[in-house]
Amino acid sequence: GGSRKSRNPIRKKSIQNHIRQSIMPRDIRVRFAPSPTGALHLGGVRTALYNYLFAKKTGGKFLLRIEDTDRTRYVPEAENYILEALEWCGLKVDEGVGAGGEYGPYRQSERKDLYRKYALQLVASGHAYYCFDTNEELDAYRKDFESRGDTFIYNVSTRKGLKNSLQMPPEEVDELLARNRPYTIRFKMPEDETVNIYDLIRGEVSFRTSILDDKVLFKSDGMPTYHLANIVDDHLMKISHVIRGEEWLPSLPLHVLLYKAFGWENTMPEFAHLPLILKPAGNGKLSKRDGNKMGFPVFPLEFKDETSGEIWKGYREDGYFPEAFVNMLALLGWNPGTEQEIFSMDELIRAFSIERVGKAGSRFNPEKTKWFNHKYLVEKSDTELAKLLRPIVEKDGIETTDAELEKICGLMKNRASFVSDIYEESLFFFKAPETYAEKDVKKHWKPESPDILKELAKILESEEDFRAPVLENAVSKWINSRELGFGKVMNPLRIVIVGAAKGPHVFDILEILGKKESLERIGNGLERLKL
């Protein structure tokens, strides 16, 4: 019976854990926690989106926390940019900056006094220590190590010989603190342990503490580093899942050890590290410079860097619909497991699961992004598109009716990726051609073309009802009776009406232009194209 007895407690414990979790399901609370150091890269927007989808799918809360502890890189206008970008994308914040809530303040700079207490708690429990080394001394150590072809790391093997509270008698430490000698607080990394943690995307990941450094948790300027503030805030804000970029994976062992050091491992969140977004060629992470170099935006909204005066392109200003942008981003790393590519936000929420997020990086494809925009543009009503087209048309000083704009949108939207394309492709509706495409004239304008068009003009002139089907019927009858062949008539007509052998159905164009304008254009063409 003894062997059964020894196995029992372990079995019992795992069952109890299982029962505890099923009886007391944890409230799902996720956060997006950007640093206001500039514009929000589309990788950051995707992190926000996956957090949002996860929260909505599970009936949880989506929080926004602004991590502004790095005052040297702080950009004043960046916080508003982040809020505006999330709003444009339709990611509504349930709690946090801009929404309020019971776990505030949600800006780390406003929580500053809180972190010192937790840093000192770690010193008191022996998990962290004071460092009095100056920057100059640390630089000297680095140079010394480099001269021997080595890299200096502040860790278990070097800390014994440095100026810190692990090496000093307590009274010396007290004296330095009493004299307000500047210090940092570093985490005391355990000597030789393996940290195992389950990542929701990557599965089991493990790290050896012997190769990790003793990270600074509290800086000499009285501000916490990312690592301390992040763990303290996630704990106090009851965050259940941390969904963040792959670049934070190397920090995971420190974060897990901090939860343990504070005695919070039972409420530690679950972690998921998202794959990188790669350059279009697949070689390395997509950077903010790539967009400007390759001619596509990497930011949701345009951003003007006040210090350098540089302007970064934005998806909104480039004419993308927010729904198309969000749809594209969702599929950049997550796979629904079906052939479906077009998803509304509600459909994304229903279909999303963290298990279907891939481990490997996803290549960014600017052409595919245009394809998504085209798909959304085609689905919009002609009325909606006409409203979006009007400011572009008016900027060019063109007067037109809503009905006319709606007709043009209906005819042209299948050929367009952006509303601005509709305008560029339909300029001939608003402005009579002054030149004619040389290669089209060469190909389609024959010696008999002028006579054919003069005869055609008479038929058009005689029509009282200038709607496309009526015109098409009359012209088709005439072509058949004269045995002319459609190409011989339609191509020269298109050239004089449009300026080139392009555009939608020619009778639809004639209807929108009206009788007077259509006949004038035929007359002008005949005058200018005298061979």
Side-chain angles (χ1 to χ4, degrees):
S3 65
R4 198 170 71 231
K5 205 172 178 183
S6 67
R7 274 205 316 270
N8 248 352
I10 298 169
R11 200 165 145 251
K12 206 169 177 184
K13 189 177 168 196
S14 66
I15 290 169
Q16 276 172 340
N17 277 346
H18 176 72
I19 291 168
R20 201 187 73 212
Q21 281 169 351
S22 58
I23 293 172
M24 301 190 303
R26 197 166 173 190
D27 285 341
I28 300 283
R29 289 171 62 78
V30 297
R31 50 49 170 198
F32 177 51
S35 298
T37 55
L40 185 58
H41 184 277
L42 58 83
V45 184
R46 187 192 62 175
T47 299
L49 173 63
Y50 285 4
N51 273 284
Y52 177 84
L53 294 175
F54 183 76
K56 296 298 142 195
K57 171 79 178 264
T58 53
K61 287 251 168 78
F62 172 59
L63 283 74
L64 174 65
R65 184 169 75 227
I66 297 289
E67 304 208 329
D68 55 353
T69 54
D70 187 346
R71 302 314 281 177
T72 53
R73 293 174 60 225
Y74 177 72
V75 175
E77 60 274 18
E79 185 183 306
N80 278 339
Y81 179 96
I82 290 163
L83 290 168
E84 203 181 324
L86 293 179
E87 194 181 328
W88 182 70
C89 293
L91 306 180
K92 193 175 179 313
V93 174
D94 298 311
E95 187 183 311
V97 174
E102 58 181 304
Y103 296 96
Y106 295 92
R107 271 182 211 90
Q108 283 183 338
S109 57
E110 294 169 16
R111 301 168 67 81
K112 187 172 139 181
D113 302 339
L114 185 84
Y115 304 116
R116 181 185 296 274
K117 178 185 97 174
Y118 286 99
L120 295 176
Q121 186 184 319
L122 290 176
V123 174
S125 65
H127 290 100
Y129 57 95
Y130 294 109
C131 296
F132 299 99
D133 318 86
T134 64
N135 286 338
E136 292 73 29
E137 286 166 339
L138 292 174
D139 281 341
Y141 289 125
R142 277 190 202 100
K143 287 202 176 91
D144 180 39
F145 271 72
E146 276 166 24
S147 68
R148 289 173 297 180
D150 216 339
T151 306
F152 171 71
I153 299 172
Y154 208 125
N155 67 359
V156 65
S157 61
T158 58
R159 65 189 177 212
K160 293 185 180 73
L162 299 170
K163 284 190 182 165
N164 56 59
S165 59
L166 297 178
Q167 314 313 318
M168 297 174 174
E171 49 277 14
E172 192 183 339
V173 174
D174 292 343
E175 192 197 330
L176 288 172
L177 292 173
R179 293 206 329 249
N180 287 328
R181 171 81 179 266
Y183 65 84
T184 58
I185 294 176
R186 285 181 185 267
F187 184 70
K188 187 182 172 191
M189 194 54 75
E191 287 208 13
D192 194 17
E193 285 181 19
T194 301
V195 180
N196 294 311
I197 181 88
Y198 185 78
D199 184 283
L200 294 172
I201 292 168
R202 284 145 213 286
E204 199 72 45
V205 285
S206 53
F207 304 86
R208 303 282 307 153
T209 59
S210 51
I211 56 169
L212 300 171
D213 60 333
D214 292 359
K215 283 267 186 278
V216 173
L217 300 178
F218 200 76
K219 295 179 285 191
S220 54
D221 64 359
M223 283 300 251
T225 60
Y226 167 83
H227 304 290
L228 177 68
N230 189 277
I231 297 309
V232 168
D233 288 348
D234 281 350
H235 173 71
L236 295 178
M237 292 178 188
K238 296 188 158 67
I239 298 303
S240 65
H241 294 75
V242 169
I243 303 167
R244 61 187 177 188
E246 184 180 284
E247 62 272 24
W248 294 112
L249 203 52
S251 305
L252 185 59
L254 170 63
H255 295 177
V256 170
L257 290 168
L258 279 169
Y259 278 106
K260 288 192 169 151
F262 281 121
W264 298 336
E265 61 260 60
N266 287 340
T267 57
M268 184 169 77
E270 292 193 63
F271 291 94
H273 288 85
L274 306 173
L276 292 175
I277 296 177
L278 306 174
K279 298 174 196 282
N283 52 345
K285 185 180 170 184
L286 180 73
S287 78
K288 67 177 189 178
R289 300 262 163 224
D290 292 327
N292 275 6
K293 259 197 309 223
M294 299 181 207
F296 57 82
V298 292
F299 298 119
L301 322 175
E302 189 177 270
F303 185 75
K304 184 168 188 222
D305 191 326
E306 295 299 338
T307 42
S308 70
E310 254 181 308
I311 292 182
W312 301 92
K313 286 159 69 102
Y315 278 87
R316 180 178 66 184
E317 289 73 15
D318 267 19
Y320 285 85
F321 299 117
E323 316 91 281
F325 174 67
V326 163
N327 195 157
M328 172 277 292
L329 264 190
L331 293 168
L332 211 55
W334 167 76
N335 174 354
T338 62
E339 293 300 304
Q340 186 177 344
E341 284 193 285
I342 301 297
F343 288 85
S344 68
M345 188 68 91
D346 286 344
E347 288 172 319
L348 281 175
I349 290 165
R350 279 198 299 276
F352 187 77
S353 78
I354 209 85
E355 292 76 27
R356 296 208 64 90
V357 175
K359 287 196 273 281
S362 290
R363 222 182 258 209
F364 179 73
N365 181 345
E367 288 313 305
K368 186 72 176 183
T369 312
K370 283 184 188 161
W371 176 86
F372 275 107
N373 211 59
H374 166 74
K375 290 286 179 198
Y376 277 87
L377 185 137
V378 171
E379 288 306 310
K380 291 201 180 290
S381 71
D382 298 344
T383 311
E384 202 178 336
L385 289 174
K387 277 200 186 89
L388 296 170
L389 185 59
R390 179 160 289 291
I392 303 174
V393 171
E394 285 176 352
K395 199 173 160 201
D396 249 4
I398 290 165
E399 288 177 23
T400 175
T401 65
D402 288 344
E404 201 169 278
L405 275 187
E406 283 174 28
K407 272 188 197 164
I408 290 168
C409 289
L411 285 180
M412 304 303 289
K413 65 183 181 185
N414 278 314
R415 302 152 187 269
S417 294
F418 303 98
V419 175
S420 58
D421 292 349
I422 298 181
Y423 182 55
E424 279 155 32
E425 291 294 320
S426 61
L427 264 178
F428 58 83
F429 282 111
F430 308 111
K431 296 175 180 174
E434 288 173 13
T435 57
Y436 303 94
E438 218 172 296
K439 70 175 200 325
D440 293 340
V441 172
K442 215 172 187 171
K443 189 174 174 186
H444 300 298
W445 195 264
K446 302 286 186 268
E448 62 273 24
S449 297
D451 289 337
I452 290 172
L453 284 185
K454 280 175 194 160
E455 212 174 316
L456 174 63
K458 283 182 186 148
I459 289 161
L460 296 176
E461 198 165 0
S462 67
E463 284 301 332
E464 290 302 314
D465 186 343
F466 218 72
R467 282 175 309 146
V470 179
L471 299 179
E472 186 167 5
N473 189 28
V475 172
S476 301
K477 266 190 193 156
W478 166 70
I479 289 173
N480 290 330
S481 71
R482 296 268 277 101
E483 293 179 354
L484 284 169
F486 273 75
K488 261 191 174 171
V489 177
M490 291 303 152
N491 288 317
L493 174 60
R494 205 176 268 285
I495 288 168
V496 295
I497 293 288
V498 174
K502 63 166 198 180
H505 198 44
V506 80
F507 295 106
D508 288 327
I509 302 174
L510 293 174
E511 178 183 326
I512 289 172
L513 292 177
K515 188 193 285 193
K516 183 172 174 286
E517 179 67 21
S518 300
L519 293 172
E520 263 175 35
R521 289 189 186 193
I522 294 171
N524 286 342
L526 288 171
E527 198 56 45
R528 288 187 180 143
L529 288 165
K530 282 182 175 160
L531 292 178

